[in-house]
Amino acid sequence: MTDLVFRDIDVIDGTGAPRFRADVGIDRGRISTIADPRTITEAARFIDAPGSALAPGFIDMHAHSDLHLLTEPGHFPKISQGVTTEVIGQDGLSYAPIDDVALAVLRRQIAGWNGNPTDLDFSWRTVAEYLDRLDQGITPNAAYLVPQGTLRLLVVGSEQRPATVAEIRRMRELLAQGLREGAVGMSSGLTYTPGMYADTGELAALCEIVAEYGGFYAPHTRSYGKGALAAYAEMIGLARSTGCALHLTHATMNFGVNRGRAPEFLALIDAARAEGCDITLDTYPYLPGSTTLSALLPSWAMSGGPDAALARIADPEMRARITLDVNVNGSDGCHGVTVEWETIQISGVANAELGEYVGKTVAEIAADTDRAPVAVFFDLLRRDQLATTILQHVGHEENVRAIMVHPVHMGGSDALLVGDRPHPRAWGTFPRYLGHYVRELGVLGLEECVHHLTGRPAERLRLSDRGHVFTGYAADLVLFEPSTITDTATFDNPKQQARGIQHVLVNGEFAIENGAPTGKLAGRALRMDATRKETY
């Protein structure tokens, strides 16, 4: 007898094809049958849901849940959106491979992304050990990217200098080990230290290894502002020269200098793909970005790690030099542009004494306290020990829409889950695509958008049994109402569950049932088979 049947349901199978009516049977965690409506007559449980659609579970191609999966394995912000698989290890900074010294630096440096829990056992050191830890119990599935900045931290340190030949060799060895242990590729954060200190040649040496093992390279480029097109061109050049598959993560064109310039960016991609380069991209359906306040510092100010940066902030001469970069010259940490303090909104603090500033822009805090904005900037960095998170209101709607309709586009939340008022994309990305951009605006068709969020990313990740409603595939599924699915998370009140999602299954187990979490931890680490080298 079949375990579960979705009976006479609209099926959106993840291929982009039109929806169809069917009975869908689930047995032992897999889709066992797709049959004509009301032809499966025996099952332990039937679900009838008129007006709803059954789709593959959504795949978040850019997630920052590396610690949240361990500290909050129920992972309600994401699972409530219908996300059944996440890609973590993003932006070149994560927690494997690692050693004791690098871990101490990293925990402080990206506390604004992931928090810095004192009660979490950080005993893993390799990618394999981290993936094994995930397998002890998580709700969604997770795939991992080896973080290039962490490799550099391990081998070179936090200093701003070229890597030696021997150091590059060692980073290649660690990367290869991580890929053999199941990582799906490599990420970079090229506006974050120490990854941003790598030149193109160093990155190429690593991309050669990624190509050899059949993974993909997911860079946060050197700029999404001034010089954005040149930054994208550098990454596309790496794909050309190394043969490495390239996935441009949170691919956007931000700041005033890039208003309306998405077509120029997409033309670069189309030209490279016409030459045979394997290139894809992801975006989130919002205008503001989110990062740490310390990311706005120029790269030279972060050389040596958090303690060195705080020492420079305390030094009057160094403060004057930093001020010149952020206010006049343009900081490479702020994508080559000067910081517009009215666009920098505080979203979270580690120091409770700073809680009154959450939700305010740096410019507003400066006006309220009769200080210069840069003085507020330094004060927050010092008092919060670099852990402050921000929203950066620098996006353009025309760019967001142009990029999301491109035929190699996928969805990625880029969600930071810490802070009192995180970016609403942490709770609303995937319902927002389907509600706002599909139903309300018609930017994408429903079946087309589901393909962007499911089948297409599954192909990029080379998941041979996920991303589609096909017989024999893992039962990662979401049942939602196309007429009501809506993101309810706002910038003022971001921690709000979406509407219109009734059920979410991960490996055949209900993670969300009738809109409520079940607590079942059926997810697992999805390890790449490094012997397969198919391209998207």
Side-chain angles (χ1 to χ4, degrees), residues 23-40:
D23 286 355
V24 178
I26 312 297
D27 274 309
R28 294 182 296 277
R30 293 197 169 266
I31 300 169
S32 57
T33 312
I34 301 175
D36 290 338
R38 299 189 177 275
T39 57
I40 302 178

Side-chain angles (χ1 to χ4, degrees), residues 8-11 21 48-54 479-482 500 502:
D8 195 8
I9 195 74
D10 273 347
V11 177
R21 302 286 294 185
D48 294 275
S52 294
L54 186 70
L479 186 76
F480 68 96
E481 296 177 352
Q502 300 105 307

Side-chain angles (χ1 to χ4, degrees), residues 368-403:
D368 291 344
T369 58
D370 196 25
R371 289 181 291 172
V374 73
V376 173
F377 173 59
F378 288 133
D379 186 54
L380 288 170
L381 291 174
R382 177 185 60 81
R383 294 176 63 191
D384 213 23
Q385 293 291 289
L386 310 183
T388 307
T389 53
I390 61 171
L391 303 181
Q392 203 165 3
H393 295 267
V394 292
H396 306 291
E397 181 68 20
E398 63 269 39
N399 288 346
V400 170
R401 295 191 195 187
I403 293 169

Side-chain angles (χ1 to χ4, degrees), residues 56 68 201 264 306 326 381 400 444 449:
H68 196 268
E264 297 174 61
V326 298
L381 291 174
V400 170
L444 290 164
C449 187

Side-chain angles (χ1 to χ4, degrees), residues 85-89 131 134 141-145 184 461 463 524-527:
T85 294
E86 294 189 308
V87 186
I88 56 177
L131 297 180
L134 294 177
N141 305 303
Y144 188 72
L145 295 164
V184 296
L461 294 168
L463 302 177
R524 62 181 180 87
L526 302 179
R527 293 166 171 82

Side-chain angles (χ1 to χ4, degrees), residues 244-256:
C244 183
L246 178 66
H247 181 77
L248 296 167
T249 194
H250 47 53
T252 188
M253 297 283 287
N254 286 336
F255 302 92

Side-chain angles (χ1 to χ4, degrees), residues 217-252:
Y217 178 39
H220 166 128
T221 69
R222 297 192 194 275
S223 176
Y224 296 93
K226 183 180 179 181
L229 291 176
Y232 283 123
E234 179 192 13
M235 299 299 102
I236 292 170
L238 286 170
R240 285 195 181 100
S241 66
T242 67
C244 183
L246 178 66
H247 181 77
L248 296 167
T249 194
H250 47 53
T252 188

